[in-house]
Amino acid sequence: MELSDVAADLTEVLLTEKQISDKIAELSRLIERDYEGERPLLVGVLKGAVMVMADLARELKLHIDMDWMAVSSYGAGTQSSGVVRILKDLDSDLHGRKVLIVEDIIDSGLTLSWLVKNLRARGADSVEICALLRKPEAAKVQVDVKYVGFDIPNAFVVGYGLDYAEKYRNLRGVGILAPHVYA
Ligand code: XMP
Ligand code: MG
């Protein structure tokens, strides 16, 4: 779906398909340089990271492995609590692996900082993060995101994997959701 197909549900177009694909190419060149001669394990965080993973993996001129995790933050409402529950774990053994976590968005950073610690504790050689989007709140926690696509305003965004109540994940771009949709 195009952003224009749901224009009435958005207050703003934040990123077009072209801006996203250009950025994924740019990040891929950095990743190729940093992992030259290696075969990193890309770990996608379900479900939001599906689009980033699909595009990043195909853009990379490297052999990679792909694995997936699903996690959920305990606690009330829409705020991430930092206490994370694993809903679907990895199939891979991480010993000696160079792990690159692939995420759609880093907001409070609580989920990712927990995930990095968890994966490091499994014996990975290195654990780095690639996130397409980063919200300003993320700056408040100590989580080192090596590859960031775009710093975005502190608004609720949808598209390109990001959902509201499971909708809008299949938009080609990213937009700011209009308050009337979730009011
Ligand atoms: P943290 O722990 O960094 O959690 O606060 C990040 C997770 O929160 C979700 N999230 C969003 N999902 N639009 C969305 O569709 C947003 O604007 C948004 N901000 C945070 C998302 O699941 C991410 O992995
Ligand atoms: Mg997510």
Side-chain angles (χ1 to χ4, degrees), residues 106-108 133-141 151-155:
I106 173 165
D107 188 352
S108 73
L133 309 175
R134 178 170 62 187
K135 286 191 182 177
E137 285 285 312
K140 293 185 189 167
V141 285
D151 282 302
I152 63 164
N154 198 13

Side-chain angles (χ1 to χ4, degrees), residues 23-163:
K23 185 60 77 174
I24 294 226
E26 194 184 311
L27 294 176
S28 295
R29 301 297 87 80
L30 298 175
I31 294 168
E32 286 161 6
R33 184 200 62 193
D34 294 349
Y35 292 88
E36 198 188 337
E38 309 277 355
R39 179 170 164 174
L41 172 66
L42 271 50
V43 170
V45 184
L46 293 168
K47 305 171 187 169
V50 165
M51 306 297 176
V52 195
M53 177 71 110
D55 287 341
L56 183 71
R58 284 179 295 176
E59 179 64 28
L60 284 172
K61 298 176 201 306
L62 278 178
H63 291 295
I64 56 138
D65 293 280
M66 253 187 250
D67 206 343
W68 302 91
M69 268 182 99
V71 296
S72 130
S73 292
Y74 273 111
T78 55
Q79 295 290 82
S80 188
S81 64
V83 182
V84 176
R85 188 162 53 111
I86 296 176
L87 303 176
K88 188 234 168 275
D89 207 348
L90 300 172
D91 298 325
S92 322
D93 177 4
L94 299 191
H95 278 102
R97 296 305 307 264
K98 300 216 181 305
V99 174
L100 181 61
I101 299 171
V102 177
E103 255 289 33
D104 47 357
I105 191 165
I106 173 165
D107 188 352
S108 73
L110 291 167
T111 308
L112 274 176
S113 68
W114 179 90
L115 198 55
V116 167
K117 284 194 202 96
N118 182 284
L119 300 188
R120 285 211 174 112
R122 302 186 197 194
D125 206 32
S126 64
V127 180
E128 299 294 349
I129 299 168
C130 175
L132 182 70
L133 309 175
R134 178 170 62 187
K135 286 191 182 177
E137 285 285 312
K140 293 185 189 167
V141 285
Q142 182 43 50
V143 43
D144 203 4
V145 187
K146 192 157 186 189
Y147 311 98
V148 185
F150 301 93
D151 282 302
I152 63 164
N154 198 13
F156 197 81
V157 296
V158 293
Y160 198 69
L162 292 153
D163 72 305

